[in-house]
Amino acid sequence: MKKKYVLAVVIILTMGMAACSLEPKESGANSEAVSSEAANTESLNTESSETNAARSDEKEDWGDPIIAVVDRYENNIIVARDMDDEALLYYFSTEDAEVIEGDSPITAGDIVEITYQGVQGDEEHPGTAVKVVAESMMYQ
């Protein structure tokens, strides 16, 4: 008789532990809402990763920023002279660039930092500047 009671207690404890360890079941409406939310989160994560991948691909094309003295800046073309080798000129289009000038516009003689995409251009085919920062704004 004792064996039957011990067996019954073991079975009851086992069933109780199994019942407590299961996650509560959600109702149909809650389950659909959770599924919809998970799908939205997944699509946002996919879009975000695609955007980040495009940005990183774009940034991989960027050359190292150069610091140079502006020779002339007109018609969205900046011509800058290398600070170490005055015979070396850089030509960049600033049409689509972020230009950070500070209190006064960039003029000849100003020192600028130019971040560019692709290659440094020449007079006929200027390179594409991504960002041009005046010296007064470089460290802010």
Side-chain angles (χ1 to χ4, degrees), residues 19-27:
C20 290
S21 67
L22 293 177
E23 293 182 19
K25 299 217 176 204
E26 298 175 0
S27 69

Side-chain angles (χ1 to χ4, degrees), residues 9-131:
V9 169
V10 170
I11 290 173
I12 291 171
L13 287 174
T14 305
M15 290 175 66
M17 287 175 32
C20 290
S21 67
L22 293 177
E23 293 182 19
K25 299 217 176 204
E26 298 175 0
S27 69
N30 284 343
S31 146
E32 290 174 13
V34 170
S35 297
S36 173
E37 185 177 321
N40 288 340
T41 302
E42 185 176 319
S43 70
L44 288 175
N45 288 342
T46 303
E47 290 172 10
S48 176
S49 64
E50 288 172 358
T51 303
N52 289 340
R55 285 183 185 158
S56 67
D57 288 346
E58 193 175 285
K59 283 187 178 182
E60 287 176 9
D61 247 6
W62 292 7
D64 289 334
I66 57 172
I67 297 178
V69 178
V70 175
D71 200 46
R72 63 183 183 271
Y73 182 30
E74 53 194 32
N75 300 328
N76 288 327
I77 302 293
I78 190 166
V79 180
R81 192 171 295 279
D82 190 276
M83 292 183 70
D84 296 326
D85 182 3
E86 290 188 14
L88 183 58
L89 292 176
Y90 303 110
Y91 297 86
F92 291 103
S93 167
T94 59
E95 191 171 339
D96 297 322
E98 175 185 6
V99 179
I100 303 171
E101 296 179 316
D103 294 336
S104 59
I106 295 173
T107 59
D110 289 349
I111 296 175
V112 293
E113 178 184 67
I114 302 171
T115 304
Y116 60 95
Q117 185 175 13
V119 296
Q120 301 168 1
D122 56 21
E123 194 167 3
E124 291 179 19
H125 307 292
T128 303
V130 176
K131 185 175 182 181

